[in-house]
Amino acid sequence: MTDRIHTVPTEPFDGQKPGTSGLRKKTRVFMQPRYVEAFTQSIFDAIGGVAGKTLVLGGDGRYFNDRAAQVILRMAAANGAARMIVGQGALLSTPAASNLIRRRGADGGIILSASHNPGGEDEDFGMKFNGPNGGPASETVTDAIFERTRTIREYRIMDAQDVDLSRLGEVRLGDTVVEVVDPVADYADLMAQLFDFAAIRSMFARGFAMRFDAMHAVTGPYARELLENRLGAAPGTVVNATPLPDFGGGHPDPNPVWASDLVDLMMGPNAPDFAAASDGDGDRNMILGRGIYVTPSDSLAVLAANATHAPGYARGLAGVARSMPTSRAADRVAAALGIEAYETPTGWKFFGNLLDAGRVTLCGEESAGTGSDHVREKDGLWAVLLWLNILAARDQPVDAIMTDHWARFGRDFYSRHDYEAVPTERANALIDRLRGMLEFLPGQKFGELTVAQADDFSYVDPVDGSVSQRQGIRVLFTDDSRVVFRLSGTGTEGATLRVYLERHAGPHADHAQDPDQALGPVIAAAEAVAQIREHTGRDRPDVTT
Ligand code: G1P
Ligand code: ZN
């Protein structure tokens, strides 16, 4: 057996540094000889080896998913792993992988995904490591992985044919058991424990109509099983349900830009009652009602305010957490419920400690991510099911639920402007300039708005005391409007500048205003503070969500 195990020399590759969510690069970068191998061995080495360990493996089905999975299996075998639990066809949504790691008591998992980024030979690919709690590796672990990538000189791999991942069951690769599992079953069972399936089923039976757009990505099989098979939604409710290696040529990103067909449907005369979409790897969600788009920040707040309708949350919430750029709508709900609200840096990994410590039950990000303590990742279908549970319990349409919510808590008008593929030096110059101005900003007027406070967000993890600095420039105005500037940590080309804009309108204000109009003064102040045009050379954002 051992003669099949080879130690292969390699040079370290530059830039194998995990970002906001694992290592993300152009697919062709990952396709270079030894690239996946060097990164995989670095993960294994950084976690103290995988001898005798059990890992979960799966991905979102994008181009190169199957090839990378086979390499990782051969390497896990050569490194002495006891068991590899792999989704059939090397598929696993990110939340389903998180659930499997937890349910099976695995030592961690490798997820192959670049999330909502497009897939294909000329597009993007990604790899990330999740720890034994099922969540994205902490910064300590990702730093250790990166350090290892800089010094790695060899990797171990077994000579073997591809494992047949189309067949459920166990096979052996050397001494390693490769267990191919149904990627949907355990996850669907977990959802059935959390939500009132009987109530949702009876809502569908009464004629409630919805559309779920899987965007040709991994949630297709999950949504079919849950919505159509288990909950009785009409056949055809789930569209674009077959995962494709290039996601049909689009961006599998559930937002009003990339899922514009769904938005058009919901704003048109033939809109069903409810619509939703999820992203490449199934952790994001978009929520729409007839004639209304619910921003992710509002969705988190509504879910927090209504979660007790679902059996899994009937005992109430321990607390809520949101990433810093997410609107403060959820904080208002937490204050009303008398529970703790936490503000963390961007990226799901910062929620892990709070969830593990039982300090929060729900978390969310403005980037279409919502989740709870049921797994350690954000979870697109979970959010859709919690919405369905709430709609069934309240027996009201989405727009009425939103109107009620704003009348109670006020409305946080919100938008994010992205400037993509900006030359890195220019984007850095914009942020550096803002950093240099921070102490002088309070008291200055920009158009109608006066700065109350400004800082570069830094976070002290309340559980382990670890500090994360330089997480985004926050400018708060005296009328409680806010703008945040930060550079993306997931892009694969140049820099992406994200400008997060928000303005609070109290419970008695006009909530029916057009968000762009309501945000007008904040948008103008953001330009005046940061001189975005001058720095980026762009006169408008590439993507507005
Ligand atoms: C983006 C989102 C962030 C999310 C991450 C992974 O990161 O903004 O909220 O956690 O993708 O899905 P960014 O590109 O801004 O670093
Ligand atoms: Zn994703």
Side-chain angles (χ1 to χ4, degrees), residues 115-116 279 281 283-284 378:
S115 187
H116 50 288
D279 73 328
D281 61 329
D283 56 359
R284 294 188 173 202
K378 58 194 178 225

Side-chain angles (χ1 to χ4, degrees), residues 304-305 319-320 328-342 408-409:
V320 292
R328 289 157 296 166
D331 303 18
R332 305 182 203 285
V333 174
L337 295 176
I339 58 174
E340 209 61 50
Y342 296 86
R408 188 162 162 216
F409 300 101

Side-chain angles (χ1 to χ4, degrees), residues 204-511:
F204 278 120
R206 294 196 304 273
F208 181 88
M210 86 170 272
R211 179 174 293 185
F212 180 89
D213 190 341
M215 304 189 84
H216 306 286
V218 80
T219 50
Y222 295 86
R224 277 239 166 100
E225 170 63 13
L226 281 159
L227 300 174
E228 297 183 12
N229 298 347
R230 298 202 186 191
L231 292 168
T237 294
V238 183
V239 298
N240 301 322
T242 305
L244 299 176
D246 68 347
F247 307 122
H251 287 227
D253 196 358
N255 65 33
V257 176
W258 294 110
S260 57
D261 287 358
L262 199 62
V263 177
D264 291 347
L265 171 77
M266 297 310 287
M267 300 304 156
N270 300 317
D273 299 288
F274 184 62
S278 191
D279 73 328
D281 61 329
D283 56 359
R284 294 188 173 202
N285 72 89
M286 177 170 73
I287 300 293
L288 295 147
R290 187 180 290 133
I292 186 167
Y293 162 69
V294 182
T295 69
S297 295
D298 272 350
S299 178
L300 174 64
V302 169
L303 296 182
N306 293 278
T308 51
H309 287 298
Y313 305 95
R315 283 176 302 137
L317 308 178
V320 292
R322 61 165 174 86
S323 65
M324 179 273 282
T326 304
S327 97
R328 289 157 296 166
D331 303 18
R332 305 182 203 285
V333 174
L337 295 176
I339 58 174
E340 209 61 50
Y342 296 86
E343 182 177 40
T344 61
T346 297
W348 207 260
K349 61 188 168 210
F350 294 100
F351 295 134
N353 277 349
L354 297 172
L355 291 164
D356 284 349
R359 293 200 187 203
V360 301
T361 311
L362 297 198
C363 337
E365 296 195 273
E366 51 65 41
S367 54
T370 345
S372 88
D373 57 359
H374 69 292
V375 289
R376 291 294 180 273
E377 289 278 5
K378 58 194 178 225
D379 189 343
L381 269 165
W382 168 89
V384 173
L385 292 167
L386 181 49
W387 263 98
L388 286 171
N389 197 145
I390 293 165
L391 291 169
R394 289 187 51 168
D395 198 19
Q396 280 179 301
V398 175
D399 62 345
I401 288 180
M402 294 316 299
T403 309
D404 265 15
H405 187 88
W406 295 329
R408 188 162 162 216
F409 300 101
R411 178 171 183 182
D412 292 274
F413 287 100
Y414 192 86
S415 184
R416 187 178 96 187
H417 291 183
D418 290 339
Y419 298 80
E420 294 180 339
V422 175
T424 310
E425 324 76 62
R426 287 179 161 219
N428 286 338
L430 181 149
I431 296 287
D432 289 344
R433 176 176 164 277
L434 285 173
R435 267 197 196 113
M437 288 164 59
L438 288 174
E439 53 178 312
F440 311 109
L441 282 176
Q444 284 196 48
K445 247 188 128 184
F446 295 91
E448 291 171 30
L449 305 182
T450 305
V451 177
Q453 284 170 41
D455 68 359
D456 191 350
F457 181 57
S458 95
Y459 178 67
V460 182
D461 185 302
V463 179
D464 67 15
S466 60
V467 180
S468 305
Q469 279 167 325
R470 302 188 148 207
Q471 297 294 322
I473 308 285
R474 299 190 286 191
V475 181
L476 189 68
F477 299 96
T478 50
D479 70 344
D480 210 22
S481 301
R482 188 178 77 151
V483 53
V484 172
F485 303 90
R486 64 177 280 281
L487 300 182
S488 155
T490 57
T492 54
E493 223 182 308
T496 294
L497 170 69
R498 302 203 195 284
V499 183
Y500 308 82
L501 306 143
E502 96 187 73
R503 179 169 219 189
H504 182 64
H508 306 294
D510 172 14
H511 300 138

Side-chain angles (χ1 to χ4, degrees), residues 153-172:
R153 292 283 164 208
E154 57 187 37
Y155 62 86
R156 288 162 73 74
I157 192 159
M158 178 176 282
D159 256 350
Q161 296 298 316
D162 281 359
V163 177
D164 181 357
L165 296 178
S166 69
R167 252 192 309 166
L168 297 177
E170 292 186 356
V171 291
R172 276 181 174 271

Side-chain angles (χ1 to χ4, degrees), residues 418-423 426 495 527 532-542:
D418 290 339
Y419 298 80
E420 294 180 339
V422 175
R426 287 179 161 219
E527 171 59 37
I532 302 168
R533 269 185 213 139
E534 198 176 308
H535 283 91
T536 62
R538 312 276 171 81
D539 57 7
R540 69 173 69 87
D542 299 286

